[in-house]
Amino acid sequence: MQYPPGCAFLDGAFCAIEDAKISVLDWGFLRSDATYDVVHVWKGRFFRLDRHLDRFFASVDKLRMACPYDRDEVAAILAECVRRADLEDAYVEMIMTRGVSPTFSRDPRDAINRFIAFVIPFGWILRPEERDAGLSVAIAETQRISPLSVDPTVKNYHWLDLVRGMFEAYERGARTVVLPDGAGNITEGPGFNLFVVKDGRVATPDSGVLHGITRLSALDLLAEAGIEAVARPVSLAETRAADELFATSTAGGIMPVTSLDGAKVGDGRPGPITSKLIEAYWAAHTRPDWTVAVKDIPAPRSMA
């Protein structure tokens, strides 16, 4: 089996990406009992690492897990993985699993929580050369798992609803999908948030979604540009009537949506607000308040 180049960290040591494995008895595998976060490195700099660490540790707390490393130690581990992988542009993932119960107990309190990190080359949902064409998206019939059942603000691997929706999209000739809730509103897609633009105003769903860091960055940049942008319920009808749509994700940044359910969004090209935001987002990758150089993060102590 072939693996992408990279580096991993687990059980207190760094290893080659192909050697990073977990037990079949880990609750992360058996029960999808895990949380994770993904931060990216662009041209040797982490983008909004503090925000990703905030969300990761909040998720760990919500799931009643205990990370064996503090924030500075996790940052050091991630940076060391990037250095060992020798990547300038990287996808960097940190994971906490419930772990393994030594007696295979069904009580999650008996499991020994496990921290894992890995780094591979930066990956795209929509590559830069594809931006003019944009994403084709379908609105699925499959509904998003209710936030009363699974908290979407805890980044998780509960993707069966999203995967079912993806197959719906493929069958309808779309590239990806957005799922509705049970009240006639949109939620999110597999790995991305959605924004709606109408009459120069921007909105994104406030419920049933992960509070994405790229979503946050888009809201921050829109505010800096003096463009009204709010998080609130966004109806299916409003989405279909949008002047512009765009998606946000660590894996690609700001991505124009140019087709929805087979119909053009606007004129079928990235709109003016979307285009302005794309430019601002990538320019922000040199901001000293939003980025930190990998080389400036100290190496972890006492780790192989």
Side-chain angles (χ1 to χ4, degrees):
M1 180 180 293
Q2 289 188 331
Y3 292 86
C7 176
F9 176 89
L10 71 165
D11 298 334
F14 296 94
C15 66
I17 196 75
E18 60 268 23
D19 295 327
K21 298 177 174 65
I22 67 169
S23 168
V24 294
L25 299 183
D26 194 303
W27 278 54
F29 173 73
L30 290 177
R31 307 279 190 267
S32 195
D33 191 350
T35 187
Y36 72 106
D37 220 287
V38 176
V39 60
H40 71 277
V41 169
W42 190 252
K43 299 189 184 307
R45 300 183 71 86
F46 279 103
F47 186 70
R48 309 211 80 172
L49 177 59
D50 283 347
R51 292 291 192 171
H52 283 281
L53 290 171
D54 287 345
R55 186 173 64 181
F56 177 68
F57 279 95
S59 297
V60 169
D61 287 344
K62 287 179 181 179
L63 293 185
R64 303 187 184 191
M65 293 181 185
C67 184
Y69 307 106
D70 64 23
R71 285 175 61 98
D72 289 344
E73 289 170 328
V74 169
I77 290 167
L78 300 181
E80 186 64 17
C81 281
V82 175
R83 285 190 286 263
R84 293 186 182 216
D86 194 25
L87 294 170
E88 282 289 301
D89 306 322
Y91 172 106
V92 185
E93 185 158 333
M94 61 199 100
I95 307 165
M96 278 295 302
T97 75
R98 186 69 61 191
V100 175
S101 165
T103 62
F104 199 54
S105 163
R106 298 181 71 86
D107 186 336
R109 295 171 298 182
D110 294 338
I112 300 169
N113 302 162
R114 194 180 198 194
F115 175 82
I116 303 166
F118 70 86
V119 171
I120 56 176
F122 186 84
W124 301 87
I125 292 176
L126 185 73
R127 303 185 74 82
E129 61 268 23
E130 299 174 310
R131 282 190 198 130
D132 283 346
L135 287 170
S136 60
V137 175
I139 297 175
E141 294 182 7
T142 301
Q143 292 182 5
R144 190 72 171 107
I145 295 173
S146 169
L148 298 177
S149 299
V150 175
D151 182 354
T153 67
V154 175
K155 195 169 175 69
N156 62 69
Y157 295 117
H158 294 271
W159 271 44
L160 289 184
D161 54 343
L162 293 166
V163 171
R164 180 178 174 183
M166 288 166 71
F167 277 101
E168 287 186 50
Y170 300 152
E171 289 165 0
R172 289 154 57 184
R175 180 165 176 170
T176 190
V177 71
V178 169
L179 270 57
D181 62 16
N185 299 311
I186 59 165
T187 62
E188 60 188 349
F192 65 84
N193 294 109
L194 191 71
F195 284 71
V196 174
V197 182
K198 186 69 176 180
D199 297 328
R201 298 181 176 89
V202 184
T204 191
D206 63 345
S207 177
V209 301
L210 177 72
H211 293 173
I213 306 303
T214 313
R215 171 184 182 267
L216 170 67
S217 299
L219 291 169
D220 288 344
L221 291 168
L222 288 164
E224 290 176 6
I227 297 170
E228 181 183 328
V230 296
R232 59 167 174 78
V234 178
S235 71
L236 295 170
E238 182 180 1
T239 305
R240 293 189 171 104
D243 297 329
E244 301 176 45
L245 295 173
F246 62 86
T248 60
S249 173
T250 294
I254 313 299
M255 301 171 288
V257 175
T258 53
S259 172
L260 184 69
D261 287 339
K264 286 183 180 180
V265 177
D267 63 2
R269 295 179 59 80
I273 288 179
T274 303
S275 298
K276 183 175 183 177
L277 189 58
I278 290 170
E279 183 178 351
Y281 174 77
W282 289 104
H285 282 65
T286 59
R287 286 175 59 155
D289 56 334
W290 282 16
T291 66
V292 59
V294 173
K295 65 180 178 61
D296 290 340
I297 298 176
R301 297 188 301 271
S302 303
M303 293 178 188

